[in-house]
Amino acid sequence: MKVAIIGCTHAGTAAVREIIRQGPTTEVNIYERNDNISFLSCGIALYLNGRVKQLEDMFYDSAEDIRTENIHVNLRHDVIRINRQKKELMVQDMDDFTVKREKYDKIIMCTGSMVSLPPIKGVNHARVMLCKNYEQAQLLHEKVKDARRVALVGGGYVNVELAESLVDTNHEVTLFQSHEDILNNYVDTPLSAKVIKLLNDHHVKVETNSKVVSFTDKVSELLVTTADGREFATDVAVVSTGFVPVTDLLRGEVKMDRRGAIITNEYGQSSDPDIYVAGDLRTIHYNPTNAPEYIPLATNAVRQGTLAGINIFGNQWPEMGAQGTSAIALFGHTLAMTGLTYQRALNAGIDADYILFEDNYRPEFMPSTTKITSIMVYEKKSLRILGAQFYSKHDVSQSANLISLAIQNQNTLKDLAFVDMLFQPYYDRPFNFINLAAQAGLRKIGLL
């Protein structure tokens, strides 16, 4: 069998590694537009503040290590057309511009996503940076090295992490968010407010309800203008307002959603059964809503790539769906979340409610303890857990993993209220804070 893998970051790397295990005699041709594979963009912020010394450490695999007699890695090669009827690819060498045709039996599409550019006048200015791939990270590092002021446009994960890194390296940072809340796709207003305060306390100026409409060149600086007419001078701007799937190769050829993300079945197949899809260019079954959603996360990409590498040999391992579980470390605090926020649950038409609960994570007689703020979102009628958010100086990241499993298994507030969890004063109370949050939710509705 001849397999073409188009794109090779997380999903493509996971797919080829699985193919090597499952079918080592399979002929695989990898086509990657960049001159590298497997770059972890989540490490860019760590590189900018020096916690990671070399950006190259963010590569966890290489073309040299993957290449074998049957695995052909074609870097700087762009697939410019897929002929599904002939099962043929048209591939261009990006260095000498020669074009060749290659046959395939099956494709694993892993072209990923790119930064969504908002309609801001001047967004292509040389002082306006993006932050996703290796080349963009290199350029950003060079630009901010000699800059004093940095404007971050967008209040999602990428810019919130960059805010800490840039403050750590003595930059004056202003973060612009068009919404009232930051991280609004991940947390509800109470936790957004805590994160904004944390950023302000560390000298990040947060401008909410501030839609940036233009970047203007002004001698040796950049002028950032918001919709209400305010102007802010900066040296460098970083735009990160979301991602869009890279699916132009298959537009009009397979089923896609309104964003252009490819829709797959439970085995990762597109509407063309010989084209499997993994990573940021496709939807995933979102368990909290029981519907397909676009959730571009490396965790999803790795799982999907691994399963695609199994399923091309015969669909034998269906996907379990996802909860969109994630976490961020910020100025000594952990913010972790999974599933729906309360607001997103309402937007999805779910009759939902939530409980906001705060308590110390372990007994007060211990030498130290600290508070955990928990938000647990649930469906009113069934009490089914829809999502949760945790914030603390204590490491609460694994709590999001636990609730992810609870959502996956359709557990309820009643289940979490009394599920067996360990007690040891070093680690928690006789009732874990998740137990206590669920019990508080049951008391709120009069069931306890």
Side-chain angles (χ1 to χ4, degrees), residues 77-90:
H77 278 69
D78 186 19
V79 176
I80 56 179
R81 188 184 174 202
I82 298 173
N83 188 323
R84 296 192 299 118
Q85 288 68 40
K86 293 183 178 180
K87 287 200 166 184
E88 186 178 82
L89 305 178
M90 187 179 291

Side-chain angles (χ1 to χ4, degrees), residues 25-82:
T25 62
T26 305
E27 181 182 349
V28 180
N29 286 287
I30 297 171
Y31 303 101
E32 169 55 55
R33 298 188 65 188
N34 293 305
D35 61 3
N36 55 73
I37 66 170
S38 76
F39 179 67
L40 281 167
S41 59
C42 58
I44 295 174
L46 298 173
Y47 171 64
L48 290 179
N49 69 6
R51 281 185 245 183
V52 171
K53 300 303 179 185
Q54 298 183 87
L55 190 59
E56 289 70 26
D57 291 342
M58 294 297 102
F59 294 107
Y60 56 89
D61 214 330
S62 69
E64 291 73 22
D65 288 343
I66 286 177
R67 284 190 178 109
T68 68
E69 184 178 348
N70 297 319
I71 309 295
H72 312 288
V73 185
N74 303 283
L75 299 178
R76 289 193 53 76
H77 278 69
D78 186 19
V79 176
I80 56 179
R81 188 184 174 202
I82 298 173

Side-chain angles (χ1 to χ4, degrees), residues 16 20 34-35 74 104 107 109-110 147 201 210 255 285 298 352 413 421:
V16 70
I20 291 170
N34 293 305
D35 61 3
N74 303 283
Y104 70 87
I107 291 174
M109 285 288 294
C110 305
D201 288 346
S210 298
K255 291 181 180 178
H285 186 82
L413 276 181
M421 294 190 188

Side-chain angles (χ1 to χ4, degrees), residues 313-325:
F313 298 105
N315 291 341
Q316 52 188 310
W317 204 314
E319 298 175 1
M320 300 174 69
Q323 286 70 248
T325 309

Side-chain angles (χ1 to χ4, degrees), residues 318-438:
E319 298 175 1
M320 300 174 69
Q323 286 70 248
T325 309
S326 57
I328 183 172
L330 188 66
F331 295 115
H333 291 69
T334 298
L335 179 66
M337 64 289 297
T338 186
L340 287 166
T341 65
Y342 172 61
Q343 188 58 54
R344 287 178 58 213
L346 296 182
N347 293 345
I350 300 173
D351 187 18
D353 204 349
Y354 74 96
I355 184 69
L356 172 64
F357 181 78
E358 285 190 329
D359 195 15
N360 290 326
Y361 82 94
R362 66 180 184 178
E364 288 74 15
F365 61 72
M366 294 299 291
S368 66
T369 188
T370 192
K371 286 193 180 301
I372 295 173
T373 302
S374 306
I375 291 179
M376 202 164 291
V377 184
Y378 58 92
E379 185 180 45
K380 284 183 180 179
K381 183 177 180 181
S382 66
L383 301 184
R384 177 172 62 96
I385 302 299
L386 299 173
Q389 305 146 46
F390 304 99
Y391 175 79
S392 180
K393 288 182 179 179
H394 182 59
D395 183 356
V396 288
S397 57
Q398 295 308 310
S399 300
N401 284 335
L402 187 150
I403 301 299
S404 176
L405 185 61
I407 298 170
Q408 177 85 53
N409 292 335
Q410 298 191 14
N411 290 125
T412 68
L413 276 181
K414 288 182 177 180
D415 296 325
L416 289 185
F418 293 101
V419 67
D420 178 29
M421 294 190 188
L422 69 86
F423 165 55
Q424 216 289 339
Y426 278 97
Y427 304 114
D428 64 0
R429 295 179 175 279
F431 274 120
N432 182 272
F433 65 90
I434 290 175
N435 295 135
L436 293 172

